[in-house]
Amino acid sequence: MIKKIVITLIILMALAINLSTATPIELDDDEDLVPISGSLRGASRFLAQHSRGLVKCNKNPRLCRAKGSPGPDCCNKKCVNVKTDKQNCGLCGKKCKHQEICCKGKCVNIMTDKRNCGGCNIKCKKGNSCKLGMCSYA
């Protein structure tokens, strides 16, 4: 019983220490934030010192190329990959339809597209068609 209490106290103290050492970066309240981690090679010293935290890509788009970023492109103050992002397919703001996904920057219907049947870059063999996301004989 005492062993469980001691372990619980140790975990709570470690959590409290971890939370108390976090230093937030002050940003404007009206702007979206993008979490990043990892290397900021090529970024300014200020950004390198604050690599843990939330930063804005609209002020420094190269942050989207940092390790751990969701994508290399900055769209609407968020890091995305326009080659795969359904909300920004090919370019910022271009949304794919409900049944489509983004493959290599183009909206495709994986249920019927012979070149992306069931997923990106899954090609049906010559003479086959794509039905319900599966290649089948025509």
Side-chain angles (χ1 to χ4, degrees):
M1 176 75 169
I2 294 176
K3 202 177 205 182
K4 288 182 182 180
I5 293 172
V6 170
I7 292 173
T8 304
L9 287 174
I10 291 172
I11 292 172
L12 288 173
M13 287 174 43
L15 184 61
I17 290 170
N18 190 24
L19 291 175
S20 68
T21 59
T23 55
I25 300 172
E26 291 184 31
L27 300 170
D28 299 334
D29 290 337
D30 64 333
E31 299 198 24
D32 290 341
L33 304 173
V34 179
I36 67 154
S37 62
S39 172
L40 289 174
R41 184 174 291 182
S44 72
R45 271 192 194 157
F46 171 77
L47 291 172
Q49 291 170 353
H50 293 64
S51 63
R52 293 183 190 178
L54 301 172
V55 293
K56 303 171 281 187
C57 70
N58 64 321
K59 302 245 174 144
N60 192 345
R62 66 182 163 187
L63 292 175
C64 293
R65 293 187 299 270
K67 185 178 178 182
S69 172
D73 310 298
C74 184
C75 291
N76 198 21
K77 302 176 192 168
K78 293 181 182 172
C79 294
V80 298
N81 187 338
V82 295
K83 291 183 179 181
T84 58
D85 187 3
K86 188 175 177 170
Q87 301 300 314
N88 301 285
C89 189
L91 44 104
C92 295
K94 182 183 175 198
K95 295 181 181 180
C96 295
K97 294 177 183 172
H98 176 67
Q99 70 275 13
E100 296 176 328
I101 65 169
C102 187
C103 294
K104 293 184 182 177
K106 294 184 180 184
C107 295
V108 296
N109 186 336
I110 60 170
M111 300 302 266
T112 59
D113 190 322
K114 287 174 58 171
R115 292 186 188 109
N116 301 284
C117 190
C120 293
N121 302 318
I122 301 173
K123 297 178 183 176
C124 293
K125 293 180 182 178
K126 189 174 181 178
N128 290 358
S129 63
C130 182
K131 294 180 182 173
L132 299 174
M134 294 184 289
C135 294
S136 61
Y137 293 105

